[in-house]
Amino acid sequence: ISLAGPFLFPPPNVIHNFDEIVTDSTLPEVYTFDLFDTLVARRCHDPNSIFRAVEERSGVPDFVQLRRAAEGSLWEKREYSLDDIYIALGDGTGWPVQKLAMLRMLELAEEWDNLFPIGEMIARVGPQDLIVSDMYLPLNFLRRVVDEKCGLTDRVIHLSNYGKHHGTVWPKILATHRIRRHHGDNHVADVQGAMRAGIDAEHVTVSAWTRGEKILVDTGLASFARAIREARLSSFDPDPLLRRAQLAQCDVNLPLLILASLDALRRARER
C-alpha cells in the first residue's frame, strides 16, 4: 500500500509518502508442512486405537478412558507434553512411577509401529523446508519420525501444542523465513490459522478414507481398508499418468477384488 499527496501535516503544501512495511526479501523462502496425517499416517487410522492397543498389551483396565481424561484435564490450559499427561494420569490414579513409565513406553512403541510415510507429500518437501507440528509427543521422538520414517534428515521442527491453533508459531517463523505455503490436514489450525497470519495454505486430505476404502469400512472390512490405505499413501510415482493408475488400482480395483474374493469364498462354503 502506498499513500501519496498533500496531507494536513505541518509544514503545509509538502508532499508526503507513506509506504507499507514489506517483508524482508532477503529472508530465505520456504514451504512448511504439518507432520501427522500430512507427512506420516497411522496404520490404525483412529488415534484412539493407540490407547486401545496399550490397554490390551498392558492388561490395565480402563486405560483408554483414564488416558483421555488425563490429557483432557490439560487441554487448552497450558502447553503440555507426554510427560505432563502421564503426571496427570498418575495424580488421578495413584499408579506407581514404574507402572506409568511402562505405559508411556508402550504408547510410544505403538505410535512408532503404527506410523508410515505419505510418499506423495514427502516428495514435495525441499531441503530447507520446515516441519510445524502441534503435538504432545517428545521432540526426540518426532526427530526420529522425520529422519527415519520420512527420510527427511536435518529438517527443522517447530513443535508446540497450540502454536498453529492460536497462531503464535507463525510470527516466530516469519521473523526468520518467508513462507510460500503451509500444508496441513487440520482445516482450522493449518489452513485458517495460517491464512490469518497472511500465509497461503493448502488443505491436505490424502490421509482420509477414499470412496473405495470407505465402502470396505462400512461393510465391516476395516482391516482390508487399512491395508489398501497404507498401500495408497506409501506408494508414489512422480509420473502423473502412473500415479493416476496407482490411485485407480487402490480405490477401485483392489476393493472390488477383495469383495469378489470374499464372495467366492462364501459361495464355495455354501455349495
Side-chain angles (χ1 to χ4, degrees):
I1 299 173
S2 182
L3 304 175
F7 294 93
L8 298 178
F9 298 144
N13 304 319
V14 176
I15 302 298
H16 299 270
N17 287 278
F18 300 93
D19 295 308
E20 180 185 30
I21 297 174
V22 298
T23 304
D24 186 352
S25 60
T26 63
L27 295 177
E29 194 172 72
V30 297
Y31 292 91
T32 57
F33 294 82
D34 177 40
L35 183 54
F36 281 76
D37 292 317
T38 300
L39 297 179
V40 293
R42 293 182 177 96
R43 291 186 174 90
C44 60
H45 193 274
D46 177 15
N48 289 316
S49 296
I50 299 292
F51 307 148
R52 288 192 287 270
V54 172
E55 182 172 317
E56 292 173 5
R57 289 183 61 184
S58 66
V60 175
D62 299 323
F63 173 79
V64 176
Q65 178 183 348
L66 294 168
R67 165 64 175 76
R68 293 180 64 183
E71 184 175 358
S73 69
L74 302 173
W75 180 250
E76 289 283 6
K77 294 180 180 178
R78 59 184 175 89
E79 292 276 333
Y80 64 88
S81 65
L82 186 65
D83 289 336
D84 295 320
I85 294 172
Y86 274 86
I87 290 172
L89 183 60
D91 292 342
T93 61
W95 290 341
V97 173
Q98 295 85 351
K99 182 174 183 176
L100 293 167
M102 179 268 294
L103 292 168
R104 180 184 182 279
M105 179 187 66
L106 285 177
E107 181 174 338
L108 287 174
E110 286 295 330
E111 285 280 12
W112 179 262
D113 291 342
N114 260 275
L115 292 173
F116 65 90
I118 301 177
E120 176 182 348
M121 294 305 301
I122 288 174
R124 297 170 64 175
V125 182
Q128 305 304 318
D129 290 342
L130 310 177
I131 314 298
V132 186
S133 179
D134 282 359
M135 194 43 156
Y136 54 78
L137 292 174
L139 180 59
N140 60 354
F141 180 85
L142 299 185
R143 178 82 271 160
R144 285 193 62 203
V145 171
V146 172
D147 289 355
E148 299 178 29
K149 295 282 187 177
C150 302
L152 299 172
T153 55
D154 300 325
R155 299 313 194 281
V156 173
I157 301 174
H158 288 265
L159 179 62
S160 64
N161 285 118
Y162 312 114
K164 289 185 296 181
H165 184 77
H166 292 315
T168 56
V169 70
W170 302 120
K172 298 176 183 178
I173 300 176
L174 290 172
T176 57
H177 295 81
R178 286 187 298 150
I179 301 176
R180 286 288 302 275
R181 180 177 297 161
H182 176 67
H183 308 75
D185 71 295
N186 189 301
H187 194 269
V188 174
D190 289 302
V191 179
Q192 295 178 4
M195 292 179 70
R196 280 195 299 268
I199 301 167
D200 184 30
E202 179 179 328
H203 190 204
V204 179
T205 60
V206 293
S207 67
W209 297 121
T210 64
R211 178 186 55 182
E213 293 160 4
K214 189 66 166 59
I215 289 173
L216 293 176
V217 171
D218 291 342
T219 54
L221 301 172
S223 59
F224 290 101
R226 288 192 293 268
I228 291 176
R229 173 175 171 268
E230 181 174 354
R232 170 176 61 87
L233 293 176
S234 58
S235 64
F236 175 67
D237 195 297
D239 185 312
L241 292 176
L242 291 178
R243 183 56 181 164
R244 283 200 290 271
Q246 287 177 334
L247 294 177
Q249 287 290 320
C250 290
D251 196 34
V252 180
N253 199 29
L254 287 176
L256 180 62
L257 288 172
I258 287 171
L259 292 173
S261 300
L262 293 174
D263 185 62
L265 288 172
R266 180 182 62 82
R267 291 173 181 270
R269 282 194 299 267
E270 292 174 351
R271 299 180 184 181

